[in-house]
């Protein structure tokens, strides 16, 4: 059974590119345009890893992570952002993110983060 990865980003081109990349690597991928859309989905309980944009309208990626932890979900998170900021990076990692990637990031960097997220919970790599 392949791992289920949920990609949450308000940019459709990022969702499509990430979906195509991960699907080609054998992952089952679901994409969402917002944190709210993901929280309302049936994939909330089946997702093996979340890859989320940091800056999204209404609920940020970090807020989504903290909300999910509050609900008892321990799903690994990988963050990506076009606006890397050390304070946000530290907040995300303190909240339990596995990786924090600045866009554009390399395919090997994303795959390394995903493999770490799916193998050893809590092992921050970036």
């Amino acid at each position: 059974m392949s791992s289920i990865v949920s990609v949450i980003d308000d940019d459709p081109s990022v969702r499509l590119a990430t979906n195509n990349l991960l699907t080609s690597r054998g992952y089952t991928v679901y994409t969402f345009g917002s944190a709210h859309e993901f929280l309302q989905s049936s994939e909330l309980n089946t997702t093996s890893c979340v890859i989320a944009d940091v800056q999204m309208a209404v609920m940020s990626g970090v807020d989504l992570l903290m909300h999910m932890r509050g609900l008892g979900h321990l799903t690994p998170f990988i963050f990506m952002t076009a606006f890397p900021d050390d304070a946000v990076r530290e907040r995300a990692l303190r909240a339990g993110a596995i990786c924090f990637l600045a866009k554009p990031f390399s395919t090997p960097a994303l795959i390394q983060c995903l493999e770490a997220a799916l193998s050893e919970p809590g092992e921050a790599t970036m």
Side-chain angles (χ1 to χ4, degrees):
M1 182 174 169
S2 69
S3 296
I4 297 172
V5 179
S6 289
V7 176
I8 308 164
D9 196 306
D10 52 8
D11 183 335
S13 63
V14 172
R15 290 195 307 269
L16 178 62
T18 308
N19 176 58
N20 291 345
L21 169 67
L22 297 178
T23 300
S24 74
R25 299 288 180 125
Y27 295 100
T28 300
V29 181
Y30 295 95
T31 61
F32 303 92
S34 70
H36 179 74
E37 188 181 327
F38 172 68
L39 289 170
Q40 298 302 311
S41 75
S42 59
E43 282 72 34
L44 175 65
N45 295 312
T46 60
T47 293
S48 307
C49 183
V50 170
I51 300 174
D53 191 11
V54 171
Q55 292 185 321
M56 296 183 286
V58 183
M59 180 182 277
S60 75
V62 177
D63 290 339
L64 172 62
L65 168 58
M66 293 182 355
H67 179 76
M68 287 185 63
R69 292 299 185 261
L71 295 174
H73 292 277
L74 301 177
T75 310
F77 264 72
I78 296 169
F79 285 112
M80 52 189 175
T81 184
F83 306 99
D85 174 271
D86 286 339
V88 175
R89 180 182 186 280
E90 288 305 314
R91 182 174 173 235
L93 293 175
R94 273 196 314 273
I98 299 297
C99 290
F100 191 90
L101 299 170
K103 295 176 188 174
F105 47 82
S106 69
T107 295
L110 177 59
I111 297 303
Q112 177 185 357
C113 286
L114 190 53
E115 289 174 353
L118 295 173
S119 64
E120 293 296 327
E123 184 180 299
T125 58
M126 301 270 161

